[in-house]
Amino acid sequence: MTRLTASPGLDLFFRSSSASLFVRPQMAIEYPRRRPPLHNDPLDMDGHDAHSDPYQSDDDDDDSNSDTSDAVVEVSADEFPGYFQERGGRLFHSHGRSPYPLPVDAEEHQRQNGLNQLLRRLIGDSSVGPVRELLVDAPGEQRRVLDLGTGTGEWVLDMAREFPRVRFYGVDIVPIATRYPPPNVTFEMHDIAEKFRYDSGSIDFVHARSISMAIRDYGGLLPEIARLLRPGGLFVSNEWARSPVMLDGSDIDIHAPSTAEFFRAVRDTLRERRGIPTIAHKIPELLQDSGHFTNVSSCPFFMPTGPWHEDPGLRELGRENRDMVELYARSMRAVLIDGPWAAQADTLIQGCINESWRVPGLGLLYHTVHARRR
Ligand SMILES: C[S@@+](CC[C@H](N)C(=O)[O-])C[C@H]1O[C@@H](n2cnc3c(N)ncnc32)[C@H](O)[C@@H]1O
């Protein structure tokens, strides 16, 4: 692992990034460590004048879902470098078990934050699913939302502004979210392949966006998500299909052969070298088959790549998404140079970037699914 102070590039990253005072678990996680917080629990209701402060929650700091409980400690400044490693001039996570292959540096922050805005415009809201219905304010009930693989945490921050009385948790293996979250947000170090510290049935809404490269066995994650959710709680998954498409269904290999080839190489290398399958379109079935969820509802969205759409809003979306595709292709170099397509990596990347400007009808599918805990 490279010491961060040795590299001017990485110094710049730390100065320009919003590396955060995250919390991490204090000890090996066992649960339940304490009495589970119950909805409609009279013990959570006494003495709270929650309406006097927009960010005041009904949460009891003395439960294991609290960021001030003894279950967590703050990540100190000198621990930060240990979460990162440098390769080829880019910064990656240093977690031993996560297969996640993309960098986590300033360029990736730009991509994550940019996509957060674009996806809100594409979907027309911060999330699919009956979120408002679920997070409705009810006296004496603390609503809790958990975001898996939160990254720069922009989704959580948007939601926390919109729902100031709801308590939000964002977990990741690298501390790249803001240093100064609002009081209803906790960013936390956690590997989503491990059991969570939160009590069973204590979360109202689990949100997962673009985590399909963070975990090899997406289906294996579902029992733990189900354990965390209260009955009727909501799970929302959002994943990109790693296959470009033409809006009219015509053959991508004819209209955008370089883009098709680039994504083929990405899928092959992720599967062969990292054991990461292409999963986006299978998540509804995984949810059904798990037996833990009901009301499984899926909806794919078409995101244009490039400024070709006749609708002005979608044309602007496509223009901005083109920049995201370019950042993605450049970040994917780290994957491609490690596999059977290594010799062609730069040609594939450049071909994908070139076509993103000039193929009318080109886009990507964004799969969203929502389901309720049985
Ligand atoms: C593509 S980014 C998505 C970030 C965020 N969900 C968003 O949509 O903006 C994937 C994130 O998953 C994180 N990640 C990778 N492996 C993980 C793991 N095992 N547990 C938790 N987070 C992980 C990465 O560090 C990265 O921030």
Side-chain angles (χ1 to χ4, degrees):
M1 188 181 306
T2 312
R3 283 197 60 78
L4 297 174
T5 47
S7 158
L10 296 178
D11 274 357
L12 185 64
F13 164 75
F14 267 91
R15 271 186 273 120
S16 64
S17 84
S18 48
S20 125
L21 293 179
F22 264 63
V23 296
R24 61 170 170 75
Q26 166 83 303
M27 57 192 74
I29 302 162
E30 297 171 338
Y31 55 81
R33 296 188 61 232
R34 292 162 187 258
R35 174 186 62 80
L38 302 172
H39 291 280
N40 303 312
D41 183 347
L43 293 176
D44 280 346
M45 294 163 93
D46 47 355
H48 287 135
D49 180 14
H51 293 280
S52 57
D53 176 347
Y55 283 112
Q56 176 72 55
S57 72
D58 290 330
D59 212 1
D60 178 353
D61 274 351
D62 195 32
D63 68 49
S64 62
N65 295 336
S66 164
D67 48 323
T68 55
S69 81
D70 59 8
V72 292
V73 290
E74 240 176 41
V75 176
S76 67
D78 58 0
E79 286 181 86
F80 270 88
Y83 288 104
F84 300 90
Q85 58 176 295
E86 187 188 4
R87 289 199 313 272
R90 298 206 62 177
L91 209 55
F92 295 82
H93 73 81
S94 64
H95 193 276
R97 289 180 303 280
S98 169
Y100 188 70
L102 295 187
V104 290
D105 53 13
E107 270 182 70
E108 268 297 301
H109 296 191
Q110 188 188 341
R111 190 177 75 87
Q112 286 183 21
N113 295 350
L115 277 175
N116 182 59
Q117 300 287 327
L118 297 192
L119 290 170
R120 176 184 262 275
R121 277 153 57 191
L122 183 72
I123 290 174
D125 207 342
S126 4
S127 177
V128 297
V131 173
R132 261 155 252 285
E133 174 194 316
L134 202 90
L135 297 183
V136 70
D137 209 9
E141 291 187 15
Q142 177 61 61
R143 302 297 188 208
R144 296 188 182 88
V145 177
L146 170 63
D147 186 35
L148 308 181
T150 198
T152 55
E154 290 294 298
W155 182 85
V156 165
L157 295 170
D158 285 350
M159 287 288 288
R161 267 188 295 273
E162 202 174 331
F163 298 96
R165 285 175 41 76
V166 173
R167 180 168 280 280
F168 289 86
Y169 302 89
V171 299
D172 206 290
I173 50 165
V174 283
I176 56 173
T178 177
R179 181 185 292 268
Y180 303 111
N184 59 334
V185 173
T186 303
F187 289 120
E188 198 164 321
M189 309 306 305
H190 178 77
D191 174 2
I192 56 172
E194 304 281 328
K195 285 179 176 172
F196 284 76
R197 71 181 177 92
Y198 315 115
D199 295 326
S200 301
S202 62
I203 305 289
D204 297 276
F205 174 17
V206 174
H207 177 262
R209 188 172 70 185
S210 300
I211 61 158
S212 67
M213 289 187 288
I215 186 150
R216 293 189 175 94
D217 177 14
Y218 202 101
L221 192 61
L222 299 181
E224 178 64 354
I225 292 173
R227 181 189 73 78
L228 294 172
L229 283 172
R230 63 152 161 101
L234 179 68
F235 175 55
V236 173
S237 157
N238 314 268
E239 296 294 336
W240 291 99
R242 281 188 277 276
S243 310
V245 286
M246 300 300 293
L247 182 58
D248 64 2
S250 55
D251 190 345
I252 189 81
D253 279 307
I254 293 172
H255 297 285
S258 301
T259 306
E261 191 77 336
F262 166 81
F263 277 96
R264 202 169 295 127
V266 165
R267 290 193 303 274
D268 280 2
T269 311
L270 286 174
R271 193 184 54 248
E272 279 183 27
R273 294 298 155 99
R274 306 240 173 195
I276 298 173
T278 301
I279 198 74
H281 59 294
K282 296 185 185 150
I283 293 173
E285 199 182 321
L286 289 175
L287 284 163
Q288 293 281 14
D289 293 350
S290 75
H292 295 299
F293 295 92
T294 182
N295 298 84
V296 178
S297 169
S298 59
C299 179
F301 289 83
F302 178 87
M303 172 74 98
T305 301
W308 53 262
H309 208 285
E310 62 190 21
D311 174 87
L314 288 169
R315 187 162 59 244
E316 182 51 28
L317 206 56
R319 184 192 315 281
E320 292 176 44
N321 184 46
R322 199 220 67 83
D323 294 345
M324 300 300 121
V325 170
E326 176 162 350
L327 288 168
Y328 175 82
R330 294 195 190 289
S331 288
M332 268 297 169
R333 187 172 192 281
V335 171
L336 294 177
I337 58 169
D338 186 30
W341 303 72
Q344 299 102 298
D346 290 320
T347 311
L348 289 166
I349 291 163
Q350 201 50 54
C352 173
I353 292 170
N354 292 346
E355 282 182 351
S356 68
W357 278 117
R358 57 177 171 77
V359 180
L362 179 63
L364 291 164
L365 283 185
Y366 183 66
H367 289 275
T368 67
V369 191
H370 59 90
R372 304 297 283 256
R373 173 76 169 100
R374 277 188 195 281

